[in-house]
């Protein structure tokens, strides 16, 4: 398999003193948060709101937390006083509220255990995202796992060589779903029935415009995807990126500026150049099948348990509200998984975790262990970034707002199963791509009289399914104060219609706008 080279590891190690120096200056109040971010982001670390603590982002490519890493994380929770963990929309794991000694020690421990934080922030190739059930989903075209692993190693080898204008997001989708978000990242690979990939590029979401990527090439050999990773990053993103205007330097602006045909040709030329330079093809090692089985399909009566394509094995869905698990549950889950051969955690971009490679008895245990800390309705499956109480960039407390809304329905005993899975973003960074949700919210402000009040922009009608991608439209702005009443009224409207939101909305778009206007 394509490995992270000795040279790359040595270069990453050589850069560690930069992180130490900046972190010590940040905690000594000698380095402002914004300037600290310029250094710390390269190491997957950001200062948190208030500038008293930091967050460390652990990259798990394709969202796969393998058995050795499960044991490592359990040990970390045993030894460190960590009070907040977040499953991110980039399929990484964030450890929050860290002190100076904790973040520096954790970064080094992660590196020593093959968990890389370098490049998980700032202007680097970020954690590779993928459809979470790759390798175990019934009916998938082929197992993308070995290609994701090899590509992830290749990407880390590129980090010391790249000088990118902004973040570089790479993703894989199974073709059956688009949970990897491959059609709207900087570079995306969509699996095909013929064991090849279609390649997309130029997508992205954020301030000053959002867009889907365009199809670059069809039927690409999986071992050749490295040429696209290198070529696009070096000879498209770095060549055409705007290094002077940070608000205009994501790759989606390159696509818009060049136009579809010129952009597509630029990517193809970059790939051809990389191929002419040398052999960068990925070295692939096929996955070794698990030699265990424990079939009992009666476990499928639990809607959170699914059947893998491997005979006698199952997976369990675990979705803590807003992607922040209760620490006691997460610790106990890690502890239990250490006793289950081959068990992995797979993080999805919607902050759901899937625990895979379980026998029926193991699936029952995992489901029971997580039962009190998991979503049970579509609305409780909503996605939210960590929010402004923690994030320096955040404008509104997206996470807290969503959790309070979910708790409101529980406390009042109101059935909310007709409400949709929403996407709550705290600010224009659009971390949850709220424009692609059936109902999305983005942190904003609204003028009420002479005052600006905290609010959320409301979006409706988004979809990111392959072949059905559409950008939702902003239909209004509701203050946080009135948001609960809006959701209560929408819920009642859906109950009166006896329809789920996804069934109701296509025929009642104007009615939704009326509801939004009612609470604006």
């Amino acid at each position: 398999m394509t490995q992270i080279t000795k040279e790359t590891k040595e270069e990453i190690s050589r850069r560690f003193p930069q992180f130490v120096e900046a972190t010590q200056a940040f905690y000594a109040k000698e380095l402002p948060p914004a300037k600290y971010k310029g250094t710390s982001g390269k190491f997957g670390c950001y200062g948190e709101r208030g500038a008293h603590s930091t967050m460390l982002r652990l990259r798990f490519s394709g969202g796969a937390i393998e058995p050795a890493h499960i044991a490592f994380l359990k040990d970390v929770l045993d030894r460190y006083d960590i009070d907040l963990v977040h499953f991110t929309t980039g399929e990484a794991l964030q450890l929050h509220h860290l002190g100076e000694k904790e973040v520096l020690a954790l970064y080094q421990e992660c590196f020593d255990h093959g968990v890389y934080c370098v490049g998980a922030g700032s202007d680097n190739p970020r954690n590779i995202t993928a459809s979470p059930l790759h390798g175990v989903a019934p009916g998938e075209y082929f197992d993308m796992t070995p290609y994701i692993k090899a590509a992830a190693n290749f990407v880390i080898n590129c980090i010391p060589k790249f000088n990118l204008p902004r973040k570089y997001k790479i993703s894989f989708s199974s073709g059956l779903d688009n949970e990897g978000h491959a059609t709207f990242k900087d570079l995306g690979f969509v699996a095909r029935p013929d064991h090849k990939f279609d390649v997309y590029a130029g997508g992205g979401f954020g301030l000053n415009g959002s867009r889907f990527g365009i199809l670059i090439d069809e039927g690409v050999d999986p071992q050749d995807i490295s040429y696209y990773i290198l070529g696009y990053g070096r000879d498209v993103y770095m060549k055409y990126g705007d290094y002077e205007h940070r608000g205009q330097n994501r790759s989606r602006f390159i696509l818009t500026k060049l136009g579809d045909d010129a952009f597509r040709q630029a990517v193809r030329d970059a790939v051809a150049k990389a191929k002419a330079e040398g052999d960068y093809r990925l070295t692939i090692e096929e996955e070794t099948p698990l030699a265990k089985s424990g079939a009992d399909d009666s476990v499928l009566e639990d809607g959170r348990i699914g059947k893998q394509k491997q005979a006698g094995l199952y997976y369990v869905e675990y979705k803590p509200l807003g992607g922040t698990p209760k620490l006691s549950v997460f610790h106990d889950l890690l502890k239990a998984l250490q006793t289950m051969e081959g068990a992995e955690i797979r993080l999805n971009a919607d902050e759901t975790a899937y625990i895979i490679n379980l026998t029926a008895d193991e699936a029952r245990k995992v489901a029971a262990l997580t039962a009190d800390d998991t979503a049970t309705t579509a609305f409780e499956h909503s996605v939210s970034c960590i929010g402004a109480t923690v994030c320096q960039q955040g404008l509104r407390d997206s996470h807290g707002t969503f959790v309070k809304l979910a708790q409101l329905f529980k406390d009042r005993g109101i059935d909310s199963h007709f409400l949709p899975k929403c996407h709550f973003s705290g600010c224009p960074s659009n971390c949850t791509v709220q424009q692609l949700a059936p109902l999305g919210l983005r942190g904003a402000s609204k003028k009420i009289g002479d005052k600006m009040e905290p609010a959320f922009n409301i979006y409706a009608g988004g979809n990111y399914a392959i072949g059905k991608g559409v950008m939702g439209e902003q239909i209004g702005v509701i203050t946080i104060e009135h948001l609960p009443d809006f959701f209560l009224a929408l819920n009642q409207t859906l109950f009166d219609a006896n329809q789920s939101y996804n069934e109701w909305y296509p025929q009642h778009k104007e009615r939704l706008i009326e509801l939004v206007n009612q609470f604006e």
Side-chain angles (χ1 to χ4, degrees), residues 7 50 56 75 79 111 114 143 158 169 205 226 254 279 313 319 366 410 428 454 485 500:
E7 291 75 19
L56 188 64
D75 180 56
R79 292 185 293 107
F111 179 79
D143 183 1
C158 288
K169 295 187 175 182
F205 282 69
S226 46
I254 300 172
D279 183 8
L313 295 182
K319 176 61 191 290
V366 170
K410 279 193 172 183
D485 291 332
S500 70

Side-chain angles (χ1 to χ4, degrees), residues 241-262:
D242 187 341
Y243 287 81
E244 295 184 7
H245 305 94
R246 195 159 182 82
Q248 298 287 331
N249 57 4
R250 290 295 304 280
S251 62
R252 65 182 183 272
F253 297 109
I254 300 172
L255 170 54
T256 299
K257 181 180 179 180
L258 295 181
D260 288 9
D261 291 341

Side-chain angles (χ1 to χ4, degrees), residues 65-315:
I65 305 178
E66 298 178 349
H69 296 150
I70 287 172
F72 169 64
L73 288 173
K74 191 264 183 185
D75 180 56
V76 164
L77 292 186
D78 283 339
R79 292 185 293 107
Y80 288 85
D81 186 21
I82 294 170
D83 63 2
L84 180 61
V85 170
H86 183 58
F87 303 158
T88 79
T89 55
E91 298 184 1
L93 191 72
Q94 289 179 180
L95 306 179
H96 286 275
H97 301 162
L98 303 175
E100 177 186 333
K101 292 182 179 179
E102 291 174 312
V103 71
L104 293 176
L106 272 170
Y107 175 90
Q108 192 59 52
E109 284 194 42
C110 287
F111 179 79
D112 292 341
H113 284 82
V115 178
Y116 294 92
C117 303
V118 65
S122 194
D123 305 334
N124 290 291
R126 298 296 186 84
N127 189 51
I128 287 180
T129 57
S131 298
L133 295 176
H134 56 85
V136 302
E140 68 177 358
Y141 298 139
F142 62 93
D143 183 1
M144 300 188 297
T145 305
Y147 307 111
I148 294 168
K149 288 182 177 180
N153 289 338
F154 183 82
V155 161
I156 292 176
N157 286 329
C158 288
I159 288 175
K161 302 179 179 68
F162 280 166
N163 179 29
L164 296 165
R166 283 293 295 277
K167 65 186 79 171
Y168 181 14
K169 295 187 175 182
I170 301 167
S171 60
F172 289 76
S173 290
S174 69
L176 301 179
D177 65 52
N178 197 18
E179 290 305 300
H181 298 177
T183 58
F184 53 92
K185 296 294 190 184
D186 297 290
L187 185 66
F189 302 96
V190 178
R192 298 160 45 105
D194 59 1
H195 204 125
K196 295 183 179 181
F197 286 104
D198 289 338
V199 182
Y200 291 78
F205 282 69
L207 193 62
N208 300 328
S210 301
R211 65 169 302 160
F212 289 95
I214 64 168
L215 180 64
I216 302 297
D217 282 318
E218 298 179 271
V220 171
D221 186 320
Q223 290 179 267
D224 286 344
I225 61 180
S226 46
Y227 294 112
Y228 287 84
I229 293 170
L230 173 62
Y232 183 79
R234 186 188 63 188
D235 296 309
V236 178
Y237 209 171
M238 287 171 58
K239 179 178 179 180
Y240 296 101
D242 187 341
Y243 287 81
E244 295 184 7
H245 305 94
R246 195 159 182 82
Q248 298 287 331
N249 57 4
R250 290 295 304 280
S251 62
R252 65 182 183 272
F253 297 109
I254 300 172
L255 170 54
T256 299
K257 181 180 179 180
L258 295 181
D260 288 9
D261 291 341
F263 178 83
R264 184 179 291 109
Q265 191 59 51
V267 178
R268 290 175 175 173
D269 289 346
V271 170
K273 179 181 176 182
K275 287 182 175 179
E277 287 178 1
D279 183 8
Y280 295 117
R281 296 190 87 214
L282 297 180
T283 303
I284 302 301
E285 182 178 307
E286 294 299 328
E287 296 294 294
T288 302
L290 268 180
K292 76 171 186 178
S293 177
D296 178 0
D297 283 357
S298 67
V299 298
L300 301 176
E301 295 173 6
D302 185 331
R304 295 171 52 219
I305 299 177
K307 196 172 185 177
Q308 296 184 187
K309 68 180 184 181
Q310 291 85 3
L313 295 182
Y314 305 85
Y315 64 86

